[in-house]
Amino acid sequence: MSASLHIDRVEVAYGGVKVLKGVSLDVAPGEFVALLGSSGCGKTTLLRSISGFVPVSGGAIRVDGSDVTAVPPERRDMAMVFQSYALWPHMTAAQNIGYGLKLRRMARADIARRVDEILAMLKLDGLGERMVGQLSGGQRQRVALGRALAVNPRILLLDEPLSNLDARIREDVRHEIKALQKSLGITAIHVTHDREEAMVMADRIVILDAGTIAQQGPPEEIYNHPASPFVAAFLGAANAIRLVAKAEQGATHIEAGPFNGPARVRGAAALSGPVIAHFRSEAAELVEAAYVHDDDLVLRGTVRQVSYPGGFWRYAVAVGDRQFMVDDDRRREPGAAVGIRLPPDAIHLYPDRAS
């Protein structure tokens, strides 16, 4: 049975340093929420506050309306999967999975039955009697997940559980965890610094920055409509260039500059004055230097470096004092004058606060 989670203005401080600064978040029963952010943003501290391993200095944490802020971890009806797996090396896979049930003094036959269910659910049939040191990284990850699920928690907490796996296994396991979470209907909070992992697994992504929530929403929404330059850069639109804009008839008109032609951007709040345009490299297209289009933004520059990763050419293009990476099917020589074409829906515009 899943539970709702309500985090109300939670604060956490280590010494005199505030790590969480009044974070508020509501999680619906059965929802999968990813806490995403760079190292030091507060995401792991928030997860450990939810679990009870880190005490809060302000605010409250409620599960289905009941205040659990001062309740010890073992009484919160939650389970955590750690980055390090934290498995007992002297136990078999089955013994690790059943450990929490043993602590709850469940009958031996019932433990065996539940462990068999978990092993089958996680595709670990036949591996229950193996010592965890004899298992692969992906199998050990499943054992750690199985130990958490065996106790039927109402909320599952995942602390970067896939970071120790290689890329191929990580892709498989992330889909397995998501499918399992949905089939069980369990509420899940997942901490990760991996943008793709959060996008694939979560119903909702919460991006933290310096102890506060920078933006939250469904993956598609925050990817296509980042609320700030920080969010845009964190979600892959790290390329940025300063421009000058003028709001006219509900659209933002980009004025021609020393390294760009005029353009028109619709669909966002119209801006005037100095702006910063963020974009993703994969949204850019290399065109001839003379290319002109009423709506597309074209940055004019010079090819500095050329490489061939396989199937296409990758160019480092200098635009003023900035350099951008653009992929293209055609071969061009270093020194060639080119344009970087950006369609309106590829541009994220923000007021330039530094100007």
Side-chain angles (χ1 to χ4, degrees), residues 35-39 43 160 163 191-195 197 234:
L35 304 180
L36 181 63
S38 54
S39 297
K43 59 186 185 297
E160 300 200 55
S163 60
V191 160
T192 182
H193 63 273
D194 187 316
R195 170 174 61 90
E197 186 171 294
F234 192 81

Side-chain angles (χ1 to χ4, degrees), residues 98-111 151:
Y99 186 72
L101 302 175
K102 184 178 179 181
L103 292 180
R104 287 164 172 74
R105 302 184 182 279
M106 183 180 286
R108 185 174 299 178
D110 293 335
I111 291 177
V151 297

